[in-house]
Amino acid sequence: MELEAAGRTVRLSSPDKVFFPERGFTKLDLARYYVAVGPGILRALRGRPTTLERYPDGIEGEWFFQKRAPKGMPDWIPTAHITFPSGRSADEMCPTEEAAVVWAAQYGTLTFHPWPVRADDVDHPDELRIDLDPQPGTDYTDAVRAAHELRAVLDEFGGLRGWPKTSGGRGLHVFVPIEPRWTFTQVRRAAIAVGRELERRMPEQVTIKWWKEERGARVFVDYNQTARDRTIASAYSVRPRPRATVSAPLRWAEVDSARPRDFDLATMPARFAELGDVHAGMDEHAHSLDALLELARRDEHDHGLGDLPYPPEYPKMPGEPKRVRPSRAREDPAS
């Protein structure tokens, strides 16, 4: 069958294929969802290199991340050339139309993972993304408490405004639009400074420890989500969970009362029809990271707090501490 998205027609094959068995949602339901929230998800993806999280046979089948633009992609969908930490590079899908999202849904894309950069400058992020990830023993309400303190930290260090959204799971994401003046390394350094400040203020509730064995029942500030080629699910993306929950943009006044399970493939279109994109004004702002980078400098100079471990697939980075979990280091000091 064919669907229209903002004036462009997209062909959909096997529309009755079930993608979410628990709820009975089909590929057609997925595509219609993306038509319904098209202006919102395009705002989140527009002009950004985007990795596709694909489930061609639904959430119970095999899945994969597609970083390179799919073969046979229509010529009306542009690409952006990006470089990975390994030094390799690729052309990634770079949506500029709502129909591009529906086209990707045709190929089983549930979740869209945009880079925090635009196609015209792929080396300087224009978003600082803070991932508040509840660890075992904690839940969404713990992430909410951390988010409120995060809001205060952002305001105190540069008057930054964060835009919260559910992760689609138990956590919260807060995105801060920034001027594209800093490298990935500098933006990651700012994220580490934010995490350390939160940890100082809420030591029993928040951690920035990279190694899981050190985190405990706290909310983890995943600073490595700001490293090059690490991405976060976009606003309005459907997550591969039995209930087909979505990453829902929120207003700060809604954060306490919101529950992640309330926002899914069935309920979000009605919310969008009523409220529109509650993050629509996000691109009108562009903050400076100067105050956070000064905080990072003071942490290093006054407290000896330098860099933290990178993800395991990264090459060894300058100034990075040993990338070995603490328990192993104790067992084998030579490591």
Side-chain angles (χ1 to χ4, degrees):
M1 64 181 303
E2 294 181 339
L3 293 178
E4 184 174 311
R8 190 181 290 276
T9 300
V10 179
R11 184 176 177 82
L12 195 73
S13 64
S14 304
D16 296 329
K17 181 183 288 188
V18 176
F19 274 18
F20 295 88
E22 182 177 299
R23 306 285 302 277
F25 294 141
T26 64
K27 181 195 282 191
L28 178 59
D29 294 323
L30 177 70
R32 283 176 170 165
Y33 165 79
Y34 280 127
V35 170
V37 301
I41 192 165
L42 181 61
R43 190 268 312 156
L45 301 178
R46 184 185 283 111
R48 299 187 183 280
T50 300
T51 298
L52 309 179
E53 187 176 349
R54 293 178 55 187
Y55 292 76
D57 296 310
I59 64 169
E60 294 185 352
E62 294 185 1
W63 65 278
F64 56 95
F65 287 105
Q66 178 142 12
K67 295 187 176 183
R68 300 179 185 277
K71 292 181 179 179
M73 191 172 72
D75 57 12
W76 52 267
I77 301 178
T79 60
H81 193 74
I82 47 86
T83 302
F84 304 116
S86 65
R88 295 181 179 180
S89 62
D91 294 317
E92 284 206 342
M93 177 183 182
C94 193
T96 56
E97 299 184 36
E98 295 171 30
V101 179
V102 181
W103 179 86
Q106 146 68 12
Y107 291 93
T109 301
L110 300 187
T111 307
F112 295 82
H113 295 265
W115 281 49
V117 300
R118 307 283 181 169
D120 59 355
D121 186 354
V122 296
D123 293 316
H124 296 90
D126 68 348
E127 287 179 349
L128 169 66
R129 299 173 174 179
I130 308 298
D131 182 4
L132 300 175
D133 184 9
Q135 299 301 289
T138 63
D139 57 21
Y140 175 78
T141 58
D142 297 291
V144 167
R145 284 191 285 270
H148 284 304
E149 191 61 42
L150 169 62
R151 188 183 187 189
V153 169
L154 293 173
D155 183 63
E156 182 176 336
F157 291 93
L160 311 183
R161 178 181 176 182
W163 300 72
K165 67 183 184 71
T166 66
S167 67
R170 300 185 306 140
L172 274 168
H173 303 150
V174 178
F175 285 13
V176 181
I178 60 174
E179 300 168 5
R181 294 198 286 122
W182 296 275
T183 65
F184 278 94
T185 301
Q186 291 171 311
V187 174
R188 178 178 174 275
R189 188 168 174 241
I192 290 173
V194 167
R196 282 177 168 150
E197 183 64 20
L198 270 180
E199 191 177 53
R200 279 190 287 267
R201 298 183 183 199
M202 306 178 70
E204 301 302 318
Q205 293 83 37
V206 172
T207 182
I208 199 170
K209 301 291 187 185
W210 175 247
W211 304 105
K212 291 182 179 180
E213 63 188 36
E214 294 187 305
R215 294 177 191 171
R218 292 179 287 184
V219 174
F220 171 50
V221 181
D222 191 352
Y223 61 89
N224 269 330
Q225 292 291 57
T226 53
R228 180 185 286 271
D229 193 33
R230 293 294 285 249
T231 55
I232 294 178
S234 77
Y236 301 102
S237 273
V238 179
R239 308 312 308 274
R241 297 175 179 272
R243 287 193 55 81
T245 50
V246 306
S247 182
L250 301 174
R251 297 168 293 195
W252 278 107
E254 299 177 294
V255 169
D256 289 278
S257 59
R259 292 295 178 269
R261 65 181 286 117
D262 294 338
F263 308 102
D264 61 33
L265 190 150
T267 62
M268 181 56 83
R271 172 180 166 87
F272 192 87
E274 178 185 358
L275 301 177
D277 179 13
V278 298
H279 285 188
M282 187 173 170
D283 289 343
E284 299 171 8
H285 302 264
H287 296 287
S288 170
L289 288 180
D290 287 343
L292 284 178
L293 291 173
E294 173 59 21
L295 175 62
R297 188 199 66 79
R298 293 204 306 268
D299 279 344
E300 295 166 8
H301 182 269
D302 299 342
H303 306 292
L305 299 174
D307 204 355
L308 293 174
Y310 274 78
E313 70 272 17
Y314 273 63
K316 183 68 175 178
M317 302 296 285
E320 181 187 2
K322 289 183 177 180
R323 199 181 300 174
V324 57
R325 67 178 185 273
S327 59
R328 181 183 174 191
R330 289 192 294 270
E331 295 166 1
D332 182 12
S335 66

